[in-house]
Amino acid sequence: MNYKINGKSFSAEPRPGQCLRTFLRDLGWFGVKKGCDAGDCGACTVWLDSKPVHSCLVPAFRAEGREVTTVQGLATNGSLHPMQKAFLNAQAYQCGFCTAGMIMTSASFSEEEKKDLAFRLKGNLCRCTGYHAIEDALHGIISIEDDKVGQACGASIQSLLGESIVTGNAHYTMDVAMEGMLHLKVVRSPHAHARIKAIRKEKALAVPGVHAVFTWEDVPRRLYTTATHDDFHVDPDDTYMLDNVARFIGQRLVAVAAETEGAAEEACRLVEIDYEVLPAVFDPEEAMQPGAPILHEAADAESRIEEPEHNVFTKIESEVGDVEKGFAEADAVYEGTYYTNKVQHAHMETHGSIVWRGEDGRIHVRTSTQAPHLTKNKLAYLFSMFPHQIHVFTERVGGGFGGKQELLSEDLCMLAALTTGRPVKWEFTRTEEFTATVSRHPMKITIKLGAKNDGTLTAMQIRNVSNTGAYGNHAGEVLASSLGSAMATYRCSSKKGVGYAVYTNTVPSGAFRGYGATQPTFAIECAMDELGRKLGIDPFAIRRKNMLRAHDPVHSIWPAPHDAVMGSYGFDQCFDLVEKALASGRGEKKPEGEDWLEGTGIAAHAQDCAPPTEHRSEAYLTLRRDGTYHLAIGSGEFGNGITNAQRQVVASVLNTRAGNVTMDFADTDRTPYDTGTFGSTGTSVATLAVNKAADALKESLLDIASILTKVPASECRLEHDHVQCGNRSITLKELHDTSPFRDKLHVARKAYNSPRSTAFLVHGFRIAVHCVTGEIRILQSVQAFDAGTILNPMQARGQVEGGIAQGIGTSLFERMVLDDTGAVMNPTFRNYRIPAFADIPRSEIYFANTCDRYGPLGAKPVGEAPIIPIAAALGNALADATGVRFNSLPFSADRIFAHLADVKK
């Protein structure tokens, strides 16, 4: 068959049933992405005869004789297409995985069609941006600023990877072709709890192209946790690479490596397994009761599971002050129980890895992870290898949100590569993301607050039952976080908390943006409103009465000394900014009609800038022979913008342009150790290491210049391309070539997550609720954030917008639905709906004017926290509008309708 793709003619024969997406990628057009393979996300959009289509839905043979254009064919004669330029100028991307498809759709619009983006963009999803930068691009708004010497800090400098993203040339994990690559697929458990009695793999091995079939008897029998933490003791060792006991529907049981995905899938269907089906439990309260099915009955102290007989990985209980006395002294007490939903990260790029043995004899792991160095160490443990025998790296990662702080694909690929001697690739399907990876911990939280008549809190008490699912990856850390920052947000001398991380026969929970703070913030902030309502005090007043103030200790339920501090204080500014914005009359008007009710709600939070457990990072910084600089740092870049911020820190300290700083990142061969990019540590730890390295190199260069010019270092000044020493000048190139101290031309500095500063934020919503249908419309959305020095305002706004959008989705309609057997019923984007362009209002975003004394150049992290207060603020607005407290997420129209109907009865 003859095809014309991006102006070039091809003669190729697609496989029977092959879709256009995979056909184009087989030909090397990797700008065409896979986000769903069901026509739901638009990441695979291409033009067919100048009309946009989802290429995953088009049979490849239908493109014969027609003009196919991908994002890599938009540019002409070396010049970007106007839409590519627009996306670049507005930085209308973060991870960038959806960008190619978004550009292809947007580039087809007429000016008239651009007036209705809510309709026109309904087929293209983005999980990162919140869509507003995309809207800016379509309206020609330019957000990027010039990269000026000495002015990098505080400038909206575009990403160093921007052009590769908008042209489709950025290489994500699966965007490579390797000779002799095998494909891996797995057999997953159809039962929530079962013991394997026998596995017969003869028929699977007989499938042409199958090279290996692995069962629990073929893998290293070493317990581990899929979570990646520097201090791995915080997680239980409760997982085997392949196990003879299944504990949730979707657990991997058998792995197949074959020449093609089709052959691997066919072999998986032919594996025969005999099961002994065991009793299962899905509710964590039931799981703790005597007689409940036990998930990890053989666990001992080495597993670190504290109460396996009660399915409790860990119980945390502590108290400061005297809560009983505090409630006795209260004039008003409120107590309520709140429920948060199980939600998916829904990053556009699914999990996946490619593993091979290189010519150097080492194992190379190309993977989609937030923690390359920890992944390397865990693989070395599992396979009893030395860490130096393994190389782990990422190139471009298509979103993470905590979901890629796990070891989920790398181990089986490595097993197959070691066994077969061939490169092995495993790319998860979208359904597997829902049924077999990790999700946010559902929690049942009971909060009790007591206060004096003037609103002063006298006692705070929280009980949290956290559903960790079948395995305990992140269970303890998330539980501790749920008893931490949300309880520390308000001043109160008596606080008590108890929490349980409980095993159930459901899809495992894991790290998720907000990391255990979002769920208790929903409960506590709703409770603050209810307490205020009892006392006749408005939401702003009761929070201002009790909010943390400058110089207060930042403590929750633990009486022991801690390293949580305030490096800057802008909580008061955040409240003022949100209150003023909500009172301004801006935003949309309430729809006409008596069935529409209007309400306003706020929520606040004080967030740790780093987790309390061990986190460390090291940065290498070098002056190169050409007078530019090279930075090596282990941070992961998956849309968080951290590599751009790190370049800007270097440029600011060394008085140069960010463009003069090249980088290696997220590569265990090319960068020093870094725990990983999660829990806000990309800024608070890794970028702090970069700041320290830049300071050290600056000092070294001034010392060298002083020696070469015989001018005191105090009279030397580092400029863009030279050092000015009094009236003498020495170029950086000359300094590099003539330095008598070669070791001073490169430096290394480390940073740790201690002390841990505190970021503050407040969110406000004004909404309309239809009292008949339950529909919610957001009329105004405002967030104010104390993030210290804003290193890159454009990126900071983008992170806040993206966090708000994700919070709106997880609060209003996202929910993983499990049936009574524990199976996920909605494992696709079509049935698990994430926000589209039409769902997200444009938020007003403000930053407090502060400078943190512990963060890099005074900065605090921005990416983690914006999601945290969203559910609570929406819940408070909903209660304000209806007079009814909704204590369970999500606030979907059907659930609001049902609850309001019950209230009317």
Side-chain angles (χ1 to χ4, degrees):
M1 293 183 178
N2 297 316
Y3 295 85
K4 192 172 185 181
I5 304 170
N6 294 331
K8 299 179 180 179
S9 296
F10 291 86
S11 181
E13 195 73 26
R15 298 188 301 274
Q18 186 173 23
C19 71
L20 182 58
R21 182 192 71 80
T22 58
F23 179 66
L24 291 170
R25 289 180 62 83
D26 285 349
L27 293 173
W29 301 109
F30 291 122
V32 183
K33 304 301 183 193
K34 183 193 90 170
C36 66
D37 264 353
D40 296 333
C41 75
C44 66
T45 302
V46 301
W47 287 354
L48 203 55
D49 293 336
S50 299
K51 293 188 180 298
V53 297
H54 290 183
S55 60
C56 68
L57 298 180
V58 178
F61 76 86
R62 292 194 181 277
E64 184 184 16
R66 302 171 72 181
E67 182 76 38
V68 179
T69 307
T70 78
V71 71
Q72 289 160 291
L74 276 186
T76 55
N77 299 321
S79 297
L80 295 180
H81 184 279
M83 190 55 68
Q84 291 173 312
K85 288 182 182 177
F87 269 64
L88 195 61
N89 289 337
Q91 194 145 315
Y93 54 85
Q94 285 183 26
C95 85
F97 197 80
C98 74
T99 303
M102 196 73 72
I103 286 175
M104 294 307 295
T105 298
S106 300
S108 71
F109 294 160
S110 66
E111 290 304 313
E112 186 64 27
E113 287 171 331
K114 289 180 185 178
K115 295 177 182 178
D116 189 10
L117 294 179
F119 174 74
R120 297 295 170 183
L121 286 176
K122 67 179 182 178
N124 289 80
L125 299 177
C126 175
R127 190 56 154 176
C128 297
T129 65
Y131 297 102
H132 300 134
I134 293 169
E135 182 181 22
D136 287 347
L138 281 157
H139 293 309
I141 295 173
I142 297 175
S143 300
I144 62 171
E145 297 175 340
D146 291 339
D147 182 8
K148 298 179 180 177
V149 172
Q151 298 181 35
C153 180
S156 295
I157 297 171
Q158 77 174 44
S159 167
L160 75 164
L161 301 170
E163 188 159 330
S164 67
I165 290 171
V166 302
T167 57
N169 293 320
H171 282 185
Y172 293 80
T173 310
M174 296 295 145
D175 294 344
V176 293
M178 297 186 71
E179 181 118 14
M181 184 138 62
L182 300 180
H183 298 264
L184 190 135
K185 291 290 180 180
V186 298
V187 179
R188 298 192 179 276
S189 173
H191 304 292
H193 200 190
R195 181 174 289 106
I196 294 176
K197 299 177 68 176
I199 299 177
R200 291 176 293 279
K201 53 186 181 181
E202 294 79 13
K203 292 179 181 178
L205 285 167
V207 173
V210 170
H211 284 253
V213 177
F214 304 99
T215 73
W216 68 275
E217 296 177 298
D218 304 311
V219 301
R221 195 71 175 164
R222 307 198 78 177
L223 280 168
Y224 70 107
T225 173
T226 61
T228 51
H229 285 116
D230 197 277
D231 180 4
F232 61 88
H233 295 98
V234 301
D235 304 303
D237 283 341
D238 59 6
T239 304
Y240 286 111
M241 199 180 302
L242 293 172
D243 204 350
N244 63 336
V245 177
R247 295 178 176 88
F248 71 96
I249 293 176
Q251 179 175 321
R252 64 192 199 185
L253 300 176
V254 178
V256 175
E259 293 284 348
T260 66
E261 287 187 78
E265 289 171 348
E266 176 63 15
C268 286
R269 286 189 285 268
L270 294 175
V271 172
E272 297 174 346
I273 304 177
D274 295 336
Y275 298 96
E276 176 191 353
V277 178
L278 303 172
V281 61
F282 307 114
D283 179 85
E285 291 279 16
E286 293 178 10
M288 290 191 287
Q289 300 304 311
I294 298 173
L295 272 74
H296 298 275
E297 57 186 357
D300 55 23
E302 289 187 7
S303 72
R304 298 183 291 281
I305 301 175
E306 293 179 8
E307 300 178 38
E309 69 278 10
H310 297 131
N311 291 312
V312 173
F313 160 53
T314 188
K315 175 184 177 182
I316 299 175
E317 185 170 16
S318 191
E319 182 176 7
V320 294
D322 188 335
V323 168
E324 186 176 350
K325 180 182 177 184
F327 284 122
E329 294 173 348
D331 295 315
V333 174
Y334 169 78
E335 184 172 7
T337 299
Y338 295 82
Y339 302 85
T340 63
N341 43 336
K342 191 173 188 65
V343 295
Q344 233 288 321
H345 306 80
H347 33 70
M348 288 294 106
E349 179 198 42
T350 62
H351 285 81
S353 300
I354 300 173
V355 180
W356 69 97
R357 188 184 290 279
E359 293 181 0
D360 56 2
R362 301 164 66 223
I363 294 296
H364 298 269
V365 181
R366 178 188 180 93
T367 188
S368 186
T369 181
Q370 295 175 229
H373 287 270
L374 291 180
T375 298
K376 168 183 170 177
N377 291 345
K378 198 173 287 282
L379 290 171
Y381 161 77
L382 285 173
F383 290 96
S384 300
M385 295 173 66
F386 292 106
H388 71 260
Q389 295 175 295
I390 303 170
H391 168 217
V392 177
F393 69 102
T394 72
E395 194 165 349
R396 183 75 183 176
V397 176
F401 313 115
K404 293 175 180 175
Q405 195 191 337
E406 305 277 347
L407 185 83
L408 295 178
S409 60
E410 297 87 350
D411 53 340
L412 288 181
C413 283
M414 184 164 165
L415 172 72
L418 287 169
T419 303
T420 66
R422 300 268 294 273
V424 177
K425 168 184 173 180
W426 185 15
E427 182 179 17
F428 279 34
T429 66
R430 181 56 59 185
T431 292
E432 285 179 308
E433 288 292 323
F434 285 99
T435 61
T437 62
V438 295
S439 50
R440 191 172 73 180
H441 290 74
M443 294 182 182
K444 175 187 175 184
I445 298 171
T446 300
I447 186 72
K448 185 177 181 181
L449 303 177
K452 292 291 190 181
N453 282 326
D454 66 353
T456 302
L457 288 171
T458 59
M460 301 177 69
Q461 182 171 296
I462 186 172
R463 179 183 185 269
N464 180 12
V465 178
S466 176
N467 186 347
T468 189
Y471 295 94
N473 42 303
H474 297 278
E477 290 294 271
V478 167
L479 182 66
S481 179
S482 75
L483 304 174
S485 57
M487 288 288 282
T489 296
Y490 295 107
R491 316 167 85 217
C492 183
S493 58
S494 296
K495 300 178 181 180
K496 183 178 181 179
V498 60
Y500 305 85
V502 186
Y503 289 110
T504 64
N505 293 110
T506 60
V507 179
S509 302
F512 192 101
R513 191 181 205 165
Y515 204 79
T518 308
Q519 300 97 313
T521 296
F522 170 56
I524 291 170
E525 289 297 301
C526 290
M528 286 292 286
D529 261 33
E530 293 299 317
L531 182 64
R533 190 171 285 113
K534 275 194 169 192
L535 293 167
I537 302 174
D538 78 71
F540 278 102
I542 195 167
R543 287 172 173 80
R544 283 196 174 99
K545 183 75 176 178
N546 296 288
M547 69 182 185
L548 281 176
R549 297 172 193 167
H551 311 298
D552 277 351
V554 184
H555 74 89
S556 55
I557 66 170
W558 290 280
H562 56 80
D563 62 351
V565 295
M566 289 188 212
S568 72
Y569 183 78
F571 214 0
D572 51 350
Q573 294 180 52
C574 293
F575 277 106
D576 292 346
L577 288 164
V578 171
E579 185 172 35
K580 182 178 179 181
L582 290 174
S584 68
R586 292 190 293 271
E588 296 182 23
K589 302 298 182 185
K590 178 174 73 70
E592 294 183 0
E594 60 182 17
D595 289 333
W596 284 101
L597 308 174
E598 185 173 343
T600 300
I602 64 166
H605 186 67
Q607 174 69 2
D608 298 342
C609 288
T613 49
E614 182 70 16
H615 204 107
R616 52 201 170 102
S617 184
E618 186 173 11
Y620 293 168
L621 187 58
T622 302
L623 174 67
R624 300 170 64 145
R625 174 165 290 176
D626 62 0
T628 63
Y629 302 95
H630 184 76
L631 171 66
I633 183 78
S635 301
E637 175 58 65
F638 40 87
N640 47 2
I642 198 63
T643 51
N644 211 31
Q646 289 165 345
R647 287 195 313 148
Q648 290 180 247
V649 168
V650 172
S652 182
V653 172
L654 299 180
N655 198 23
T656 187
R657 295 188 182 93
N660 277 5
V661 183
T662 58
M663 289 188 70
D664 283 319
F665 57 89
D667 186 318
T668 62
D669 274 8
R670 296 174 177 270
T671 67
Y673 184 85
D674 179 274
T675 297
T677 309
F678 50 83
S680 299
T681 55
T683 297
S684 60
V685 182
T687 306
L688 183 60
V690 170
N691 195 165
K692 290 181 176 183
D695 287 337
L697 185 59
K698 178 180 179 180
E699 183 179 348
S700 287
L701 297 181
L702 293 177
D703 284 345
I704 296 169
S706 172
I707 292 168
L708 292 175
T709 62
K710 297 182 170 52
V711 174
S714 60
E715 297 178 22
C716 296
R717 185 176 70 254
L718 182 60
E719 298 290 354
H720 166 54
D721 58 0
H722 68 279
V723 180
Q724 191 68 38
C725 297
N727 60 2
R728 295 190 59 185
S729 175
I730 181 171
T731 67
L732 292 178
K733 294 179 184 178
E734 183 182 356
L735 186 147
H736 180 281
D737 291 342
T738 59
S739 171
F741 308 106
R742 309 308 298 171
D743 61 309
K744 283 183 171 286
L745 298 175
H746 49 86
V747 298
R749 288 294 183 272
K750 298 177 182 179
Y752 302 86
N753 58 326
S754 184
R756 298 174 297 121
S757 194
T758 306
F760 301 96
L761 65 159
V762 177
H763 199 98
F765 282 111
R766 186 168 55 82
I767 69 170
V769 186
H770 197 281
C771 64
V772 177
T773 65
E775 178 188 354
I776 290 178
R777 292 187 188 177
I778 297 174
L779 307 177
Q780 188 180 9
S781 171
V782 186
Q783 186 165 121
F785 201 131
D786 170 17
T789 301
I790 303 301
L791 298 175
N792 186 311
M794 172 182 63
Q795 287 189 172
R797 286 194 305 272
Q799 289 295 306
V800 174
E801 288 172 345
I804 293 170
Q806 198 169 28
I808 289 172
T810 55
S811 300
L812 292 188
F813 40 79
E814 292 183 43
R815 177 169 61 119
M816 290 174 64
V817 180
L818 275 62
D819 67 15
D820 56 7
T821 70
V824 179
M825 297 177 67
N826 55 335
T828 64
F829 281 152
R830 190 158 302 183
N831 298 310
Y832 177 98
R833 193 168 76 82
I834 69 171
F837 182 95
D839 297 307
I840 304 302
R842 185 174 283 271
S843 295
E844 298 178 42
I845 296 167
Y846 303 96
F847 293 105
N849 184 19
T850 70
C851 180
D852 191 81
R853 61 179 169 272
Y854 301 106
L857 300 184
K860 292 190 277 194
V862 177
E864 182 94 25
I867 192 176
I868 293 172
I870 302 304
L874 282 168
N876 287 333
L878 181 58
D880 184 51
T882 63
V884 178
R885 173 58 63 185
F886 293 78
N887 66 347
S888 177
L889 294 173
F891 304 129
S892 54
D894 59 318
R895 302 176 90 226
I896 293 173
F897 169 82
H899 192 39
L900 288 177
D902 288 342
V903 170
K904 288 176 182 178
K905 292 177 184 177

